[in-house]
Amino acid sequence: MRFLILDGRPVWTSRLREALEGLPLGADCTLATTAEAALSLMEKSQPEMLVLGPGTRGLRGLDLLAAAAARLGVRVVPLPDAAATTPQDTLAAPTALLDGTTPRARGLAAPRAILIGASTGGVEALHIVLQALPHDCPPVFIVQHMRPNLMQAFVEGLDRGCGATVVEAQDRQLARPGTVYVAPAGLRHLVVTDRGGLTCRLIADEPRAGHRPSVDVLFQSGAALSVPPVAALLTGMGRDGAEGLLAIRRAGGATIAQDQASCTVFGMPRAAAEIGAARDILPLTQIGRTLMRHATAPDRER
């Protein structure tokens, strides 16, 4: 994994690099002692995690660094400064650094993943939503109810029609900014996890409410992420996704349902609205930019 380590003390960053590179997963570390240097290095090295050492307190330029991390989809992982006196002490339990259990830094916003579910009418709706996302959007995960023989053409059509790259999700695939991951049809559920980086998992399990992949399964996995995602439930028959959307809202994520006037079938969004799962009920043309606004906003504005 690629790390960018920021701390005001050069000796501390060097020792932390040694500790990280000794982890079983391995690490490729870039070091910075100022926020300005970290900002420049982030653009060049495209790290998966920005590690903030205890010596970052009071450094200038953290707000700009936070905005860049959100835009590039870099996860911000602050390390505790209370009892730790050396990098080795801080990494006594290194899995906390990789599985998202460390708290986020005050004033620095980790980017939120974007989750979308759709069924009947969703092909056209997803084209409209994804066209509103920039090429460097946070990772996007989609479940669209569809027959397997139509999936390849669907993914290729989305990829041609939007700025981000659209791919069919693969198991254990590390998610990257600017990429949209579509659940394969028919055999497995798509879930997301952030243990060791935001990752797609394809789970062989029974259909949920007649669907595999299921929007509810994706959304409920999103509710367990260390940084709650942003989610939208689009047009479709039935109620798949309503309970999962509620779980995301309860976890602190921003939730959206498509409004009745713009839906082909106001089934799934209606079910979400009825149980209070959707914070916003919006026309289809407003959903893409609203997803981006919530996904990249600073913590205080979320």
Side-chain angles (χ1 to χ4, degrees):
M1 297 187 67
R2 294 184 299 278
F3 295 87
L4 173 58
I5 302 169
L6 173 62
D7 193 279
R9 301 161 295 178
V11 173
W12 203 98
T13 56
S14 297
R15 290 178 179 173
L16 178 56
R17 176 173 60 185
E18 294 175 4
L20 280 171
E21 290 178 346
L23 294 176
L25 291 176
D28 179 9
C29 298
T30 304
L31 309 182
T33 55
T34 67
E36 291 82 358
L39 182 62
S40 175
L41 290 168
M42 187 182 298
E43 298 280 355
K44 296 176 182 178
S45 63
Q46 296 186 339
E48 291 161 299
M49 292 190 186
L50 169 62
V51 181
L52 302 179
T56 58
R57 179 174 294 180
L59 290 182
R60 296 179 180 177
L62 288 180
D63 288 342
L64 290 175
L65 189 62
R71 176 172 55 84
L72 297 172
V74 178
R75 184 170 161 200
V76 180
V77 183
L79 297 181
D81 59 358
T85 57
T86 70
Q88 288 76 11
D89 292 337
T90 302
L91 289 177
T95 53
L97 180 63
L98 300 177
D99 69 11
T101 58
T102 52
R104 283 175 287 154
R106 180 177 300 174
L108 279 173
R112 293 190 179 199
I114 297 173
L115 278 54
I116 305 174
S119 188
T120 309
V123 174
E124 295 80 7
L126 284 165
H127 275 278
I128 293 172
V129 171
L130 294 184
Q131 285 171 1
L133 305 184
H135 73 280
D136 57 352
C137 62
V140 180
F141 304 88
I142 293 175
V143 167
Q144 162 70 53
H145 299 157
M146 178 172 289
R147 293 195 300 273
N149 62 325
L150 301 177
M151 180 56 66
Q152 181 177 352
F154 168 60
V155 171
E156 291 174 353
L158 287 179
D159 186 53
R160 288 192 299 269
C162 70
T165 300
V166 183
V167 299
E168 196 167 342
Q170 300 177 23
D171 189 34
R172 301 183 185 277
Q173 185 175 22
L174 190 67
R176 299 295 298 160
T179 307
V180 178
Y181 302 89
V182 181
L187 297 177
R188 293 179 288 180
H189 295 290
L190 172 64
V191 304
V192 291
T193 177
D194 56 4
R195 292 181 176 272
L198 192 62
T199 304
C200 300
R201 294 304 315 272
L202 298 178
I203 306 299
D205 203 351
E206 294 300 314
R208 179 80 64 87
H211 297 289
R212 187 174 57 193
S214 161
V215 182
D216 267 328
V217 171
L218 172 63
F219 282 3
Q220 286 166 355
S221 71
L225 295 175
S226 58
V227 179
V230 181
L233 191 58
L234 307 182
T235 175
M237 187 179 300
R239 57 180 303 110
D240 186 26
E243 295 293 339
L245 197 70
L246 180 61
I248 289 174
R249 185 171 189 184
R250 287 173 171 168
T255 56
I256 301 167
Q258 186 178 346
D259 73 351
Q260 183 172 3
S262 63
C263 277
T264 302
V265 179
F266 190 55
M268 290 156 48
R270 182 198 297 275
E274 288 175 346
I275 63 174
R279 188 173 84 173
D280 299 308
I281 300 176
L282 300 174
L284 182 61
T285 54
Q286 295 182 20
I287 290 176
R289 64 175 180 266
T290 304
L291 286 170
M292 276 301 301
R293 178 166 55 82
H294 287 309
T296 59
D299 279 349
R300 62 183 177 275
E301 297 177 10
R302 288 175 172 172

